[in-house]
Amino acid sequence: MFILKLALKSLLNRKFTVALTIFSIAISITLLLGVERIRIGVENSFTNTISGTDLVVGGRTGDEQLLLSAVFHIGMASNNISWNRYEDIAANELIDWTIPISLGDSHDGFSVIGTNEDYFKHYKFANKQHLKFQTGKAFRETFDAVLGADVAATHEYKIGDEIVINHGSGEIAFQDHGDKPFRVTGILERTGTPVDQTIHVSLGGIEAIHIDWVDGMPDKLMNFSAEEVEELNLEPEFITAFLVGLKNRTDVLTLQRQINTNKSEPLTAVMPGITLQRLWNMMGKIETALLIVSGFVAIAGLIGMLVALLTGVSERRREMAILRSVGASPLKIFGLISSESIVITFWGIALGIGFVFLLLQIAKPILETQYGIYLNPSGISLQEIYIIGTVIILGILIGIIPGYKIYKYSLLDGMTVKV
Amino acid sequence: MNNSIIQIQGLQFDWDKSKVPFITIPELEVLKSEHLLIKGDSGSGKTTFLNLISGVLPLSSGEIKILGENLADVSSSKRDAIRANHMGVIFQMFNLIPYLSVIENVLLPIHFSEVKKNKIRAKGSTAKEEAIRLLSELGLQQKEIHEKKVTELSVGQQQRVAAARALIGSPEIILADEPTSALDEKNSMRFLDLLLEECNKNNSTLLFVSHDSRIHQRFQQSISINDFTEDIPIVEKKRKEAVECSS
């Protein structure tokens, strides 16, 4: 089509301005799509903080509180679960595996979790990824500890280092378990989840450091050394919570009801995915704010295009008069100017999408290893198609403004321009 | 069909309906191959007159027949089509689209008119060959000029490119709006002679608007736009004096 060819030639004639305009639209698109990608990435990594776990079970409390304490180690569980009850439930034939969790101690603000080897076998995060060791291996002895990536990085701990666990959470500890230090046997790879800020020890270890304590204080009469304590029965009396994986996921509601309604000990079982989604929705306002900001950036880019096109309008009245004289109708002239803005918008969007994918390729490994944000590097989501569609429509609508102005001028000027 | 190319009856035009008509032409007939000089002082409405003939401006009342078709009766898009198919226009200056090459500027009308395209095809030549032929006849035969950016040309060269564009596809009517006023006398005359010669070859009717008295003798006919508003009989007389140009 000749008008489109003419529009392209005219744009080429103004390479510099046009390139800048295309670039500014590209940046808006990059920002819009980038924010959208990261938003979804963050949401996914949050809602997948724990994955592959069907139920989280703890003492009777609220769903969110249980999840916050058991998975994020925020706040304290108000009730414990007796070891016997745990063993009862774990024996349920619907259950494939369980991971017991015992919380309450810390090391320099990092929470300490007492668990067993199943933790490293069954705990999954993100897209059902297993925990991996950077170096070393899982704990075997009572006073072995496995560190999350952040814990190791912050203190530059290495295998064989000794660490002392404090009683209670919080960075300033008043009571420590200095008499029974732990030895680092393994360091986990970064996951981008609370696991990175956690020290993992065996349930026996947790039991061992508290065995000579009474009412949260070291007992004045009892005092066992680290060696003595290993000879004792270190089976825990209580745990804080446990994670459940089912043989068949469709049984989740059945088991949840069984646990929640059981009269022998008041327990709460929650489905982590649903509860995480609910927590995310509570914090989700930030993402809307981000999206609004990048929306404004897109509008600024389009207004930039409008300004670039409008400043050309009066200079181009002569050009339009020439086209009128060779028989172009005002409508064709309107089409010429409008197709210029469509071309600019189109290239801006294409370039912006290119930028996004390029940046995603560059940022993907960094975001994954440093922040645990897993981005989807390819494909375009429906939401993104909406965003692109909106920008195209706005671009066309904005292109109509100078087109209409030129149209009015060319009706008025005819073949003669008095500028 | 008779030899009448343009027929005007009781034409009136005003920018503002309540006012006295800006242009009034009771009657005017321009014949095939006629070269008509339209004189007039600045602001007398010469250019507006050309805009009316070319169908860019709608008339207030009266009729203008172009090749038998009354512009007052047809839609503006039809008027655009008549202009595209049967007219070529040359302006005083700034005739050319800056982002197109010389040859592309000459070829511009072909994209808006099938009629012009077909006329060239009927001659057994392509649009590009025709453009090169016209440019050469107008003294722009060097190949390197054809691909040049129009902004690199002198004003005289630009006007000749504009003439080639007006002439391509052999339109019946050439409208020239003071095309020589930006040129010096020598170039003016040369340009005018080339234009007249090409019009003769094409049998095109030329309406040439100018306030330049130096070029008067080159035209068989001349009317003054001021006459229209002053003395109708003078127009009548001039019209009757019109002689068909030999071809």
Side-chain angles (χ1 to χ4, degrees), chain A residues 96-123:
Chain A
D96 184 21
W97 52 261
T98 57
I99 300 170
I101 289 171
S102 183
L103 292 160
D105 287 319
S106 68
H107 170 75
D108 197 29
F110 295 111
S111 51
V112 173
I113 172 173
T115 182
N116 59 22
E117 302 75 35
D118 288 342
Y119 186 89
F120 303 106
K121 215 188 284 171
H122 297 300
Y123 190 95

Side-chain angles (χ1 to χ4, degrees), chain B residues 40-210:
Chain B
D41 306 327
S42 302
S44 61
K46 301 183 298 267
T47 300
T48 307
F49 177 63
L50 284 189
N51 274 333
L52 287 169
I53 298 269
S54 63
V56 169
L57 286 177
L59 345 173
S60 306
S61 68
E63 61 177 43
I64 298 179
K65 280 188 178 168
I66 304 290
L67 301 161
E69 190 113 48
N70 188 359
L71 294 186
D73 295 342
V74 301
S75 65
S76 69
S77 62
K78 178 77 179 149
R79 293 201 303 267
D80 289 327
I82 292 173
R83 179 171 68 257
N85 292 332
H86 305 293
M87 297 182 195
V89 185
I90 313 168
F91 300 120
Q92 186 173 355
M93 55 202 314
F94 308 117
N95 265 296
L96 307 175
I97 304 237
Y99 50 82
L100 297 180
S101 72
V102 168
I103 204 100
E104 284 170 329
N105 263 289
V106 177
L107 288 172
L108 203 53
I110 302 301
H111 299 290
F112 293 94
S113 167
E114 282 296 312
V115 173
K116 286 183 179 174
K117 199 187 276 176
N118 291 336
K119 272 191 189 170
I120 294 170
R121 204 172 292 152
K123 279 209 256 174
S125 127
T126 67
K128 189 157 186 191
E129 283 164 11
E130 181 68 4
I132 291 169
R133 184 187 69 79
L134 280 166
L135 285 170
S136 309
E137 287 189 9
L138 288 161
L140 298 169
Q141 51 276 83
Q142 302 94 314
K143 265 221 154 60
E144 58 272 19
I145 288 185
H146 301 167
E147 300 302 330
K148 255 191 185 169
K149 284 185 77 175
V150 292
T151 41
E152 292 166 25
L153 302 183
S154 71
V155 180
Q157 285 173 321
Q158 285 185 19
Q159 291 305 81
R160 279 180 276 164
V161 174
R165 185 181 63 206
L167 288 160
I168 197 162
S170 314
E172 287 85 348
I173 302 165
I174 303 287
L175 303 176
D177 187 1
E178 307 216 30
T180 56
S181 63
L183 306 175
D184 58 38
E185 187 170 355
K186 191 176 136 233
N187 272 312
S188 261
M189 288 307 162
R190 228 190 93 156
F191 174 80
L192 186 59
D193 288 339
L194 283 168
L195 181 64
L196 289 170
E197 196 186 318
E198 287 301 320
C199 284
N200 281 334
K201 276 191 200 163
N202 274 341
N203 286 331
S204 297
T205 302
L206 174 66
L207 291 193
F208 196 101
V209 168
S210 181

Side-chain angles (χ1 to χ4, degrees), chain A residues 72-291:
Chain A
F72 292 91
H73 314 150
I74 297 171
M76 298 288 273
S78 41
N79 292 301
N80 287 331
I81 307 170
S82 70
W83 182 254
N84 293 339
R85 181 81 189 109
Y86 160 67
E87 286 195 314
D88 277 357
I89 296 173
N92 189 311
E93 58 184 9
L94 296 175
I95 291 173
D96 184 21
W97 52 261
T98 57
I99 300 170
I101 289 171
S102 183
L103 292 160
D105 287 319
S106 68
H107 170 75
D108 197 29
F110 295 111
S111 51
V112 173
I113 172 173
T115 182
N116 59 22
E117 302 75 35
D118 288 342
Y119 186 89
F120 303 106
K121 215 188 284 171
H122 297 300
Y123 190 95
K124 279 179 243 158
F125 66 100
N127 299 322
K128 306 247 163 88
Q129 280 171 279
H130 286 277
L131 297 172
K132 277 188 231 123
F133 282 89
Q134 260 179 54
T135 55
K137 53 186 189 321
F139 46 73
R140 184 164 298 158
E141 307 295 326
T142 309
F143 294 109
D144 285 354
V146 170
L147 307 183
D150 284 347
V151 183
T154 311
H155 293 288
E156 296 180 349
Y157 285 139
K158 9 179 234 310
I159 306 292
D161 283 357
E162 286 200 339
I163 57 172
V164 170
I165 287 172
N166 303 315
H167 191 72
S169 54
E171 284 187 43
I172 299 163
F174 299 101
Q175 300 284 353
D176 68 30
H177 299 289
D179 55 334
K180 300 180 185 74
F182 283 77
R183 201 170 52 86
V184 178
T185 60
I187 295 167
L188 294 171
E189 273 188 14
R190 198 176 295 275
T191 63
T193 72
V195 171
D196 297 349
Q197 286 112 41
T198 305
I199 294 154
H200 308 81
V201 301
S202 64
L203 284 169
I206 296 285
E207 195 59 27
I209 53 177
H210 294 106
I211 205 155
D212 48 4
W213 282 41
V214 171
D215 294 334
M217 290 280 283
D219 194 84
K220 293 198 173 67
L221 306 170
M222 256 191 304
N223 196 350
F224 298 110
S225 73
E227 291 75 29
E228 286 166 336
V229 94
E230 298 217 43
E231 307 298 320
L232 301 168
N233 174 21
L234 292 177
E235 181 169 282
E237 256 179 278
F238 296 101
I239 53 170
T240 316
F242 61 94
L243 312 178
V244 175
L246 294 173
K247 287 177 185 149
N248 189 345
R249 292 204 68 188
T250 50
D251 294 328
V252 67
L253 289 169
T254 316
L255 187 69
Q256 186 184 28
R257 198 168 49 244
Q258 275 179 26
I259 294 170
N260 282 344
T261 56
N262 192 289
K263 296 277 191 313
S264 66
E265 193 174 332
L267 296 180
T268 300
V270 299
M271 287 183 265
I274 293 170
T275 313
L276 280 165
Q277 190 65 54
R278 205 155 58 224
L279 277 171
W280 175 258
N281 289 345
M282 286 196 264
M283 326 189 289
K285 299 281 174 280
I286 304 155
E287 52 172 314
T288 319
L290 261 178
L291 214 57

Side-chain angles (χ1 to χ4, degrees), chain B residues 22-35:
Chain B
F22 180 56
I23 296 176
T24 309
I25 301 174
E27 196 181 6
L28 179 73
E29 186 176 27
V30 187
L31 300 175
K32 188 173 183 186
S33 309
E34 190 176 344
H35 298 168

